[in-house]
């Protein structure tokens, strides 16, 4: 999907920067063909280039961390498009999930539920 988004952004930039009316029409037709070929509407595409907000969510692990909890944190993070790392403090160890938007919150909740179930 990212490749299609990039192509659409480039075509929209061509339309905006067209020197002649013919160039603008050709780019517009190319955009229409690309949208139809991928069964998309222009509203479905995010044309905003601003990066998504990155969130962090912290889960306490206690003083001693079983190896399976470390592995579980990495697996959950990978499945929810996040990164996980452990942090040390005076109160014990924590795992921090870092991801875009709400991904880190969802990964943290899934990790807590999975760890409690295990």
């Amino acid at each position: 999907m990212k490749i299609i988004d990039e192509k659409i952004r480039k075509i929209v930039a061509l339309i905006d920067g067209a020197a002649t009316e013919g160039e603008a029409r050709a780019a517009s037709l190319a955009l229409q063909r690309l949208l139809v070929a991928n069964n998309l509407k222009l509203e479905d595409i995010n044309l905003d280039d601003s990066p998504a907000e990155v969130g962090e969510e912290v889960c306490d692990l206690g003083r001693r961390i079983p190896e399976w909890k470390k592995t579980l944190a990495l697996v959950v993070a990978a499945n929810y498009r996040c990164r996980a790392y452990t942090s040390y403090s005076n109160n014990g160890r924590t795992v921090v999930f870092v991801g875009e938007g709400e991904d880190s919150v969802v990964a943290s909740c899934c990790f807590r539920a999975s760890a409690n179930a295990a």
Side-chain angles (χ1 to χ4, degrees), residues 17-79:
T20 64
E21 187 178 334
E23 286 179 3
R25 279 190 195 158
S28 179
L29 288 173
L31 177 62
Q32 289 175 5
R33 275 188 245 121
L34 184 63
L35 291 173
V36 169
N38 292 290
N39 198 22
L40 295 171
K41 298 177 186 170
L42 195 55
E43 296 84 34
D44 297 336
I45 305 302
N46 182 13
L47 296 174
D48 187 18
D49 287 337
S50 62
E53 290 187 32
V54 175
E56 287 187 1
E57 197 65 28
V58 179
C59 296
D60 292 324
L61 296 177
R63 295 229 176 248
R64 295 182 146 214
I65 305 172
E67 193 63 35
W68 66 268
K69 278 192 177 182
K70 293 177 187 177
T71 304
L72 178 64
L74 294 174
V75 169
V76 168
N79 283 302

